[in-house]
Amino acid sequence: MNQKTAVAGANIALLKYWGRTDAKLNLPANGSVSLTLDNLLTRTTVEFDPASKGDSLTLDGKAQTGEVLARVTRFLDHVRKRTGRSDAARVASVNAFPAGAGLASSASAFAALAAASFDAAGTKVSAKELSTFARLGSGSASRSVFGGYVEWLPGARHEDSYARQIAAPGHLALHDVACIFSGEKKKVGSLEGHELADRSPIHGTRLKWVNDALPRMKEAILTKDLGSIGDLAERDALFMHSVMMTSDPSVLYWTGETVRGIRDVRSWRDEGIPVWFTIDAGPNLHLLTPAEHAPDVVRRARTTWGLSKEQVIDSAPGEGVRAVEDHLF
Ligand code: PMV
């Protein structure tokens, strides 16, 4: 057996990727910055098998068909082309996400798949090249190749659009407390959403703002300036959602719980608690807070919003993608 396995963590963007210049290559309209998380992990095993006719995929033990399998096959085709392999692959993947969280992550999924499939093909690639390939699966996966604080350079060609580490996980103990108001599958997925971005009249204004915010965010991370990290992250989340809401057609991911949550986080901050929110393509809040305040923020989220243990997930900065030996088959 020549199966290989990799583990990758999800990441939360502090400056977001929203909109693309090339939909096929997932070249983003802007650079982004993220934090890789230690608690939302995907483990994936890949084996190339000359005897098998087509690719196969199981997710959390369930065999997949249709678009889910087709997306993995399209990704594996890039790897086959690069490595010269022509065999079909057997892929198994499990998410070590708290049950019922509804937080399935394409970032950790494609970062783990990229690493395991190159390894299984017997081709060594640099972390930078691995990041370009993870990006072909899902843009944000380019960032999960690296641990800690990460930036994704947008680039104008496949080879130039990759992520790199800004600071290691141990540099700054910023936690992400994910508050899952709803685990429902979203009606407009991020792939579709990216296509709508330039149908908002304020998309260009946001891109200018993000380009100006990128060096400020990196500086804030390097100098451990939590206030600036939180302020920039919160503003960009609001800016990205403003682009979503003002696209044609409009995409509104928020629910009443999102708005109530935003108001509560701001009043906790007025009480002196260093906590900021960010929001991905969904209704759920991610609360950014230093490690020492995480237990209090978890408690407040649970009691104020009536969330269960499984609906509030506290993650510390995590490592980048890595090979492991505990194969899934
Ligand atoms: O990688 P995708 O296509 O799922 O896009 C991610 C989009 C956001 O999560 C909203 C922002 C980001 O930068 O992660």
Side-chain angles (χ1 to χ4, degrees), residues 13 15-18 106 138-140 143 190-191 194 240 280-281:
L15 291 176
K16 311 275 188 197
Y17 150 50
W18 196 247
S106 60
S138 175
S140 55
R143 300 185 306 234
S190 57
L191 287 180
H194 289 298
M240 179 183 76
D280 276 343

